[in-house]
Amino acid sequence: MLKRILAGAGLTIGVTVLAAPTASAAPDDNPFGPKDSTASFVSAFDPAAYGSASNKSLIISPFGTSEQIDCSSFHGQSWCTQNGQSLSAIRIPAGSSEWDYRVLYVYNPF
């Protein structure tokens, strides 16, 4: 009788161990950032910024767009950095609506 109980317990433990899902780490993707957003920027001194690239955000930085620009966003608030330094955002009106604007980011070395 004791052998049957021990065999049943061993079988139950064995099945539980084999059927249990393996642990997995949480994904590294933070949905709020920071994410590489360099492709969404154009230098304010680039003539394309006022033509073919007029849908991109402007940047004034000693690095232009040659260095990665990382942006984060949470609850409708966004912020960007380049080389670990913050970029100050300035909204420039681009139309007659409050929501029609273009953002100019300025590198802040301080």
Side-chain angles (χ1 to χ4, degrees):
M1 173 91 166
L2 182 60
K3 287 184 182 182
R4 283 187 183 176
I5 293 174
L6 289 177
L11 184 61
T12 303
I13 291 172
V15 168
T16 303
V17 169
L18 291 175
T22 57
S24 63
D28 287 339
D29 289 338
N30 180 346
F32 308 112
K35 296 197 184 312
D36 181 4
S37 301
T38 310
S40 300
F41 286 85
V42 63
S43 172
F45 304 112
D46 185 346
Y50 309 99
S52 62
S54 63
N55 61 333
K56 296 183 177 185
S57 295
L58 300 169
I59 184 167
I60 295 177
S61 165
F63 310 105
T65 55
S66 63
E67 295 285 328
Q68 182 171 318
I69 301 167
D70 295 313
C71 294
S72 301
S73 180
F74 186 70
H75 284 287
Q77 301 296 317
S78 298
W79 57 96
C80 297
T81 60
Q82 188 177 42
N83 287 340
Q85 298 294 331
S86 78
L87 298 173
S88 300
I90 301 168
R91 291 184 181 200
I92 302 169
S96 60
S97 167
E98 175 184 357
W99 299 104
D100 193 10
Y101 59 86
R102 192 166 183 195
V103 182
L104 168 67
Y105 288 88
V106 181
Y107 183 81
N108 184 358
F110 303 107

